[in-house]
Amino acid sequence: MNTTPVLEDEKVLLTPLLAEHFEELYDVAVDPVLWEVHPMTKGYERDVFIEFFKKALEIGALLIFDRKSGKAIGCTR
């Protein structure tokens, strides 16, 4: 039995975050506005984002893709 979570509807697809998703997710994370209410307010800085990403991998975060564009739009823990 495959226990890898994949969640989807007509708008989004959530799949397990993998190491190879780093650049694609960082492309989203570079917007400082996204981090204004996050405890890691400097997450848009690459060295800070690296730590965020490592932790996300450790806890099994999910990468969120926009179904229309096929591009990553964020992640959820």
Side-chain angles (χ1 to χ4, degrees):
M1 181 164 120
N2 184 356
T3 60
T4 303
V6 174
L7 306 170
E8 62 183 307
D9 67 12
E10 65 280 350
K11 294 185 180 186
V12 295
L13 170 68
L14 284 74
T15 62
L17 182 67
L18 303 173
E20 55 260 35
H21 293 135
F22 178 85
E23 291 299 333
E24 187 172 12
L25 190 56
Y26 185 64
D27 286 347
V28 176
V30 297
D31 182 352
V33 173
L34 298 175
W35 299 93
E36 287 179 354
V37 297
H38 193 279
M40 197 176 268
T41 58
K42 300 278 186 182
Y44 56 89
E45 295 176 1
R46 191 174 186 90
D47 57 330
V48 177
F49 184 76
I50 288 170
E51 294 307 312
F52 172 86
F53 191 83
K54 285 180 187 177
K55 185 67 174 174
L57 286 174
E58 288 173 12
I59 64 172
L62 298 173
L63 185 64
I64 306 168
F65 289 98
D66 175 64
R67 298 285 276 177
K68 190 173 184 178
S69 71
K71 293 184 179 188
I73 57 172
C75 73
T76 184
R77 297 175 173 213

